[in-house]
Each structure stands twice: as structure tokens, then as C-alpha cells.
């Protein structure tokens, strides 16, 4: 008997079956778990690709216009089609009900800061907004118990977990706007703080665009407030002096690009070269004799209400060789009243009939002008299209630049000044020194302004008289050739 027991104890036959029986559930469990992990990974990839595409589609519409969020939602529902596999729903097309789309004015500086589906980050900062003009990011998060719901094969409930899981990837895409070939100038938003009108409304309404604005240089003579202008950092390779800055303003071929998310301001320069930079556009020779090459040619129409009364006949006139206000000469006149911006923005009521009769006599005006008074820029363009530039006023002035000046430039409109429009009051309240060197200043919009008359003085507070023509965000589209829009993923 003892021998039989000893033999049984030492008998190892069939031990493999025992080990297999013990390990088989473990092996099957790991195999099922591996299948679940593979399915989870595949589902997560499908969902992430889908919401990445939807976030990009939405962000591409966030251009600051009043209907940007409406267009963004439409893009999510109609422009992108993505299906997911391996979820409980099987082959499932992603629809708006499967996700939460939130629009943000900004995102946390660090990617390590979590951002909830409602746009509130881990620090409690709420980035969400429903203002279509303020948002520039689209956040898309997959909802729980939807397209990302996953029923496991592995019986996780046996180990105290659940047999289902929710995969909720998130994507955040942003919209960036930059302009290229713009002059390195910023203009303080003349409608900042206006209780009645926004900048976008002004750009869309000719009655508001007609208002003539007197802008002054930020610096010794003026603070950085609505209606003032200053300088941006010129592109690399241009130089940092006053003359180099003036050249980038005066040239018809400016270099460099500026982004809406942030521009760098430059310390204010003396106004003399800058006055010349504006005035060469009117066919007025620079004080120091510069700007004489073809790149600094005048506009095709330089009518300004002045005649050359001194200097050689073969010279392009300097400012002190011109006499303004002579009988029978009239440049585009100022508004008859300036009730806005402490007397520096007019009411848009300017003497069109007097200007017309002085310069063009009995030539007919377009009939539409009797219904809606045109802007000065509209009149300026009509003079060119109707071949009136070379017609003499009663005092003998024409709009054709002198032959001695560099040839007139017709490929672009030299009477337009392009620049960034920023909310100066808000930015200075935040501690930015706009008369010095500030970095990363956000831009409300990029704009074009019509120079209505030459800059008459080189003093630090020299006035530049302009009309607003258009803006890049919510405008009329005339700046599209300068704008580069790009949507990109941030998270």
C-alpha cells in the first residue's frame, strides 16, 4: 500500500492537463482583453480623426463675422462625414448629437491644463463664449454613452469594474488670420467704446464710412487712444531707424506679414520722414529728397486743392512749393461738423456739390449720389473711372501727378493706407505701452483707410485725415487679397 501511494505521488503523467485547466481561463481572459484593447484603440482613433476634422471645419469659419458660429455649426453638420467602427453602435456615422461643440475665445497656455467640454479649464477659467465676433477656437468633445460607448467582451464586472466604457476624445482647433504686404502701422479703433456702433457696423455702413477721421501719431503729441496711429515693428532686414520705417510706409511694395493674434509695436519715430512717407502718395517730393524711385510713385489721382507756386518747372513739388486754398482749387473737403471723438471724427456731411462744381463744372454726377451721399473714396474712384482726373478745376488744378515725379502707380491704390486696428484703451488699461515696444498685441481687425489730403505738418501730433474703407473681419471683402486664413489643431 505504501508503495502504491509513493508511486502515485511520484507519478507526473497528466500534469499538463491540470496546468492547462488552471491557466486556460487566464489565457482566454488575456486574449479577450487584448481584443478589447485593440477595439478600444481602433475606436479611439476613429473618433479622434472624426472630431479633429470637425474641429478644423468649425474653426475655419471663425473669422470674426456676425454669422461665424452659425457657419461653423453648419460646417460640422454638412461638410465632414466620418464613420466609427467597433463601438456598441457598430458602423456609426458621427453626428452633432454625438458630441459637444463649444466655441472659445482662447485656450490655456499649457497643454497640461485640462479643458472641460463646456470650455472651463482645470483652473476654473471659463474660455467659452457665444459671441461670434470674439471666438477663435472650436472645441469638440465626444459625449458619454454615445458614439464612444463600448461594451467589453472581457467580463470586467467579475473584477469589480463595469462591462462598458465611454471613450471621450477631444479636439481643439483654432483660426488664425494674418495679412501680408501691409504697412507697419496700427490705428487705434475709432469705435472702441462707442455705445452706438461697432467697427464692423462702421465698415458695412457707407453713412458711417463717410465720417472723416483725424488720426494723430502716438507719441509726444498724442496718447494711444481711439483715432490715433502708431507703428509696428518692421519686417526683418528693413532696419530700425526713422528713415527705414518711413520707407516701409512709403513704398508700394511693403514686405512682411502680421498676425491677428499678436503684433509688436515700435517706439514712435519723429514725424518728418513719416510725413514724407504719406505725402509721396500725393506726388509731393520728400523733404530730404528721398523716395524718388519707382516703388515710391504717387497715386494716379493726386488732386489735393493746391498749385505749385515756386520751384523749378522740372521739379516734383515739395510741400513748401505748394500753395493750398487758392481760388478755384479744392481737395476733398472735410466734414462740416465733427461731433465725435472729441472733435476728431466728423458726421459724414461733407460739401460734395461745392467740390464737384469747383473741379468738374457741369459734368454730371451719378444719379445714385442724390439718394445716398457717396464717401470721398467713392468720388475719388469715380473720377478715375469717368476719366476726370486730368480735368482742370476753375483754378487750373488737375489730379494728374507732375511728370517730374516718379511715374504714377496704377497697379495698386496709393491713396489707401493699410494697418492693424487695435483697441488701445483696453490694451493700455492692461499695462501695454503702445508708444513704446509692446509684444504680442492682439488685433481687432486689419483695415484700409483712404488718405483724403496730404499731411500738412511734421509736428509730433501731425494730423492724417482718413476715411475708413474696409476691414478684414466682417468687412466687404476688399482685403481678401492680403489675408491668409489658416485653421490648425491645438489640442
Amino acid at each position: 500500500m505504501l508503495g502504491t501511494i509513493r508511486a502515485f505521488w511520484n507519478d507526473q503523467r497528466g500534469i499538463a492537463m491540470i496546468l492547462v485547466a488552471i491557466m486556460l481561463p487566464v489565457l482566454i481572459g488575456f486574449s479577450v482583453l487584448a481584443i478589447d484593447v485593440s477595439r478600444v484603440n481602433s475606436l479611439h482613433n476613429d473618433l479622434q480623426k472624426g472630431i479633429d476634422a470637425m474641429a478644423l471645419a468649425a474653426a475655419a469659419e471663425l473669422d470674426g463675422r456676425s454669422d461665424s458660429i452659425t457657419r461653423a455649426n453648419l460646417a460640422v453638420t454638412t461638410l465632414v462625414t466620418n464613420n466609427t467602427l467597433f463601438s456598441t453602435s457598430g458602423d456609426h456615422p458621427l453626428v452633432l448629437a454625438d458630441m459637444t461643440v463649444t466655441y472659445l475665445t482662447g485656450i490655456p497656455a499649457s497643454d497640461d491644463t485640462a479643458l472641460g467640454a463646456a470650455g472651463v479649464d482645470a483652473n476654473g477659467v471659463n474660455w467659452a463664449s457665444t459671441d461670434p465676433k470674439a471666438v477663435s477656437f472650436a472645441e469638440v468633445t465626444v459625449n458619454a454613452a454615445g458614439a464612444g460607448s463600448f461594451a467589453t467582451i472581457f467580463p470586467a464586472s467579475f473584477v469589480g469594474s463595469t462591462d462598458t466604457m465611454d471613450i471621450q476624445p477631444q479636439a481643439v482647433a483654432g483660426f488664425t488670420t494674418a495679412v501680408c504686404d501691409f504697412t507697419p502701422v496700427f490705428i487705434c479703433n475709432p469705435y472702441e467704446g462707442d455705445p452706438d456702433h461697432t467697427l464692423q457696423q462702421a465698415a458695412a455702413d457707407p453713412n458711417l464710412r463717410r465720417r472723416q477721421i483725424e488720426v494723430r501719431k502716438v507719441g509726444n503729441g498724442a496718447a494711444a487712444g481711439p483715432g490715433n496711429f502708431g507703428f509696428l515693428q518692421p519686417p526683418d532686414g528693413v532696419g530700425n531707424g526713422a528713415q527705414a520705417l518711413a520707407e516701409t510706409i512709403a513704398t508700394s511694395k511693403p514686405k512682411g506679414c502680421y498676425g491677428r493674434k499678436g503684433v509688436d509695436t515700435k517706439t514712435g519715430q519723429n514725424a518728418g520722414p513719416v510725413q514724407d512717407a504719406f505725402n509721396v502718395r500725393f506726388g509731393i517730393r520728400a523733404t530730404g529728397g528721398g523716395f524718388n524711385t519707382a516703388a515710391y510713385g504717387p497715386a494716379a489721382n493726386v488732386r489735393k486743392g493746391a498749385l505749385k507756386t515756386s520751384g523749378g518747372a522740372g521739379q516734383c513739388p515739395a510741400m513748401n512749393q505748394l500753395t493750398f486754398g487758392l481760388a478755384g482749387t479744392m481737395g476733398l473737403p472735410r466734414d462740416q461738423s465733427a461731433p465725435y471723438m472729441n472733435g476728431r471724427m466728423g458726421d459724414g456731411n461733407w460739401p460734395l456739390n461745392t467740390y464737384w462744381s469747383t473741379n468738374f463744372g457741369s459734368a454730371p454726377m451719378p444719379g445714385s449720389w442724390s439718394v445716398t451721399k457717396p464717401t470721398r473714396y467713392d468720388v475719388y474712384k469715380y473720377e478715375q473711372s469717368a476719366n476726370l482726373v486730368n480735368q482742370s478745376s476753375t483754378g487750373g488744378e488737375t489730379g494728374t501727378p507732375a511728370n517730374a515725379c516718379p511715374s504714377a502707380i496704377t497697379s495698386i491704390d496709393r491713396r489707401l493706407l493699410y494697418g492693424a486696428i487695435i483697441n488701445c484703451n483696453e490694451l493700455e488699461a492692461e499695462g501695454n505701452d503702445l508708444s513704446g515696444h509692446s509684444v504680442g498685441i492682439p488685433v481687432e481687425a486689419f483695415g484700409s483707410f483712404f488718405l483724403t489730403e496730404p499731411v500738412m505738418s511734421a509736428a509730433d501730433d501731425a494730423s492724417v485725415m482718413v476715411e475708413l474703407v474696409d476691414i478684414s473681419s466682417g468687412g466687404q471683402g476688399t482685403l481678401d487679397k492680403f489675408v491668409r486664413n489658416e485653421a490648425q489643431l491645438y489640442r
Side-chain angles (χ1 to χ4, degrees):
M1 174 65 72
L2 185 60
T4 302
I5 293 173
R6 185 181 295 111
F8 177 77
W9 180 261
N10 293 326
D11 190 351
Q12 297 184 13
R13 290 175 298 176
I15 192 171
M17 291 296 296
I18 296 174
L19 294 175
V20 168
I22 294 173
M23 293 301 298
L24 187 59
V26 177
L27 293 173
I28 293 175
F30 274 113
S31 299
V32 170
L33 187 59
I35 293 173
D36 280 343
V37 170
S38 177
R39 292 172 63 207
V40 167
N41 184 63
S42 296
L43 177 58
H44 187 279
N45 285 341
D46 284 353
L47 288 171
Q48 190 67 60
K49 291 177 181 177
I51 64 170
D52 283 352
M54 290 179 171
L56 285 168
E61 303 298 329
L62 302 180
D63 55 4
R65 302 185 183 185
S66 59
D67 62 343
S68 65
I69 289 181
T70 301
R71 287 185 282 108
N73 288 331
L74 190 63
V76 170
T77 56
T78 61
L79 291 183
V80 183
T81 301
N82 288 276
N83 283 32
T84 66
L85 300 172
F86 306 112
S87 71
T88 301
S89 303
D91 186 354
H92 177 75
L94 278 174
V95 295
L96 192 59
D98 293 320
M99 64 198 77
T100 298
V101 182
T102 306
Y103 298 101
L104 315 174
T105 59
I107 56 176
S110 172
D111 288 345
D112 294 332
T113 304
L115 187 62
V120 180
D121 68 23
N123 297 323
V125 179
N126 187 0
W127 300 94
S129 175
T130 57
D131 183 353
K133 298 176 182 177
V135 295
S136 54
F137 294 90
E139 176 192 21
V140 182
T141 308
V142 175
N143 296 331
S149 180
F150 182 88
T152 64
I153 300 174
F154 183 81
S157 56
F158 286 168
V159 293
S161 185
T162 62
D163 295 336
T164 61
M165 65 177 67
D166 288 317
I167 303 170
Q168 294 182 267
Q170 182 184 86
V172 178
F175 182 84
T176 59
T177 299
V179 295
C180 293
D181 305 327
F182 249 52
T183 45
V185 173
F186 74 82
I187 294 177
C188 297
N189 182 1
Y191 289 91
E192 182 184 11
D194 188 321
D196 300 317
H197 304 101
T198 65
L199 177 64
Q200 287 73 21
Q201 289 172 330
D205 186 348
N207 294 315
L208 297 178
R209 292 202 308 273
R210 274 202 317 269
R211 294 179 176 179
Q212 191 177 39
I213 304 170
E214 176 190 358
V215 296
R216 295 176 177 172
K217 188 175 76 68
V218 174
N220 295 334
N228 294 321
F229 78 92
F231 308 111
L232 301 179
Q233 188 68 30
D236 293 340
V238 170
N240 291 315
Q243 187 65 24
L245 178 65
E247 288 173 359
T248 64
I249 297 172
T251 182
S252 61
K253 300 177 181 179
K255 299 178 181 178
C257 298
Y258 300 94
R260 185 180 178 188
K261 290 298 181 184
V263 294
D264 299 343
T265 61
K266 181 176 176 58
T267 303
Q269 302 289 332
N270 61 66
V274 177
Q275 180 199 26
D276 291 338
F278 291 138
N279 286 347
V280 294
R281 301 162 183 260
F282 288 89
I284 300 174
R285 179 168 55 86
T287 304
F291 310 137
N292 290 326
T293 65
Y296 304 105
N301 183 358
V302 298
R303 194 181 299 271
K304 49 190 171 288
L307 292 174
K308 183 178 178 182
T309 53
S310 65
Q315 292 179 336
C316 184
M319 179 62 75
N320 60 7
Q321 296 168 339
L322 292 168
T323 299
F324 289 81
L326 292 175
T329 64
M330 177 177 275
L332 288 163
R334 299 186 180 185
D335 288 344
Q336 295 177 332
S337 174
Y340 307 107
M341 218 170 64
N342 296 320
R344 290 175 42 229
M345 182 161 66
D347 60 1
N349 182 24
W350 63 282
L352 168 63
N353 292 333
T354 304
Y355 171 80
W356 193 265
S357 62
T358 299
N359 290 294
F360 310 114
S362 60
M365 290 189 290
S368 60
W369 291 0
S370 63
V371 178
T372 302
K373 178 176 284 190
T375 66
R376 295 168 184 82
Y377 185 55
D378 290 335
V379 175
Y380 161 83
K381 290 193 300 180
Y382 180 76
E383 291 175 24
Q384 296 176 74
S385 64
N387 297 316
L388 295 173
V389 173
N390 199 41
Q391 182 164 326
S392 295
S393 69
T394 56
E397 182 192 16
T398 72
T400 305
N403 291 333
C405 297
S407 297
I409 295 174
T410 57
S411 58
I412 62 171
D413 197 332
R414 289 284 281 157
R415 293 275 293 273
L416 290 182
L417 176 67
Y418 301 97
I421 303 174
I422 65 177
N423 292 325
C424 293
N425 284 345
E426 176 184 344
L427 290 165
E428 290 224 314
E430 295 172 354
N432 296 285
D433 178 14
L434 300 180
S435 63
H437 180 61
S438 291
V439 178
I441 299 298
V443 175
E444 175 70 13
F446 293 97
S448 56
F449 296 83
F450 175 58
L451 295 167
T452 62
E453 63 184 59
V455 180
M456 303 302 294
S457 170
D460 282 335
D461 61 349
S463 296
V464 183
M465 307 302 293
V466 300
E467 274 185 347
L468 175 65
V469 176
D470 201 4
I471 61 174
S472 59
S473 301
Q476 307 162 69
T478 62
L479 299 181
D480 288 352
K481 63 181 179 180
F482 297 99
V483 177
R484 296 182 182 179
N485 295 326
E486 180 179 349
Q488 65 182 58
L489 285 171
Y490 288 85
R491 288 175 168 236

